[in-house]
Amino acid sequence: MTLLEPEKIIRTTCPYCGVGCQMDLNIKDGRIYRVEAPFDSAPNYGNLCVKGRFGLDFATHPRRLKQPLIRDGARGNFREASWDEALEYVSRKLSALVTEHGGDCVATYACAKATNEDNYVFQKWVRAVMKTNNVDHCARLCHAGSVTGLQLAIGSSAMSNSIGEMENLDTFIVTGSNTTETHPVISLFLKKAVPSIRDRLS
Ligand code: SF4
């Protein structure tokens, strides 16, 4: 049996959840045919859940949207546009709105699946160019409660331990989370902290 040899391997970050697992995409003929996880890389150290391991076929799905669409005409149909045209269109519309009504007429919303660097540039652009503080983030939905609680309890709302360290925990309390479903690779490290499970894995 001859195994497929990749034409290239691309190191990237899983797009599905906030664990941010590192993965190596094996590419051949323009398709991802295998996903591996590097054993020497945080946060997942070789682990991937079923979403990261097998859920990337959307990248080459025939119905994937690859070009901007602009609503065209009174009936609201969409037509394909180039990136230059779409960016120029959005820029012109936003400039006109802000010039006429001020920056506070615009609200913006950033994404937890974008990188920290992208989110930093985004909020900078909103505040410095659009002249508004109306910038929020989808983490508001999932983290606002924990940010407040952690700030009050330990004085910092950032994560205080790495995911890899969780397997050494003596005690952990999980509230409001089905970790196995929502952040599967974190749950692997938590399970390894349970002696009876750790013994079975070793
Ligand atoms: S836990 Fe699963 S979905 Fe989340 S980043 Fe890792 S592989 Fe992706």
Side-chain angles (χ1 to χ4, degrees):
M1 187 173 71
T2 310
L3 287 178
L4 279 178
E5 284 296 325
E7 286 161 1
K8 55 184 171 182
I9 296 177
I10 297 176
R11 173 73 51 90
T12 188
T13 304
C14 176
Y16 279 115
C17 87
V19 181
C21 293
Q22 294 300 288
M23 47 174 48
D24 287 334
L25 307 181
N26 289 227
I27 313 278
K28 190 175 179 66
D29 298 329
R31 303 184 79 85
I32 301 166
Y33 72 92
R34 183 166 60 219
V35 179
E36 299 172 316
F39 284 92
D40 58 352
S41 256
N44 47 320
Y45 297 104
N47 296 297
L48 287 173
C49 76
V50 66
K51 291 179 281 185
R53 184 80 68 187
F54 301 112
L56 298 188
D57 47 346
F58 67 84
T60 45
H61 193 281
R63 290 179 59 194
R64 182 177 177 189
L65 198 58
K66 292 180 179 166
Q67 277 192 277
L69 301 177
I70 292 180
R71 202 183 287 276
D72 201 18
R75 296 181 64 194
N77 294 329
F78 287 99
R79 66 170 173 81
E80 285 192 350
S82 68
W83 283 102
D84 282 347
E85 183 190 1
L87 288 171
E88 195 278 329
Y89 180 86
V90 172
S91 156
R92 185 160 35 83
K93 292 280 185 185
L94 278 177
S95 297
L97 276 174
V98 171
T99 302
E100 190 174 344
H101 303 288
D104 283 347
C105 78
V106 176
T108 60
Y109 203 62
C111 174
K113 293 185 180 183
T115 62
N116 286 344
E117 291 78 7
D118 283 347
N119 277 313
Y120 177 81
V121 169
F122 182 74
Q123 63 82 30
K124 201 73 178 168
W125 170 73
V126 173
R127 295 184 212 278
V129 179
M130 305 291 285
K131 307 284 188 211
T132 179
N133 288 325
N134 289 346
V135 54
D136 211 336
H137 191 273
C138 69
R140 169 94 50 206
L141 292 174
C142 51
H143 283 307
S146 60
V147 164
T148 306
L150 283 168
Q151 189 72 42
L152 289 170
I154 62 173
S156 169
S157 48
M159 195 162 171
S160 53
N161 295 79
S162 69
I163 293 169
E165 287 172 302
M166 290 181 181
E167 65 181 282
N168 300 317
L169 294 175
D170 292 326
T171 306
F172 54 89
I173 301 169
V174 179
T175 60
S177 164
N178 183 340
T179 314
T180 298
E181 287 195 3
T182 55
H183 299 99
V185 165
I186 287 185
S187 83
L188 294 178
F189 288 94
L190 286 179
K191 286 170 187 166
K192 283 168 81 176
V194 179
S196 58
I197 297 179
R198 188 169 51 227
D199 291 346
R200 260 188 277 147
L201 292 174
S202 60

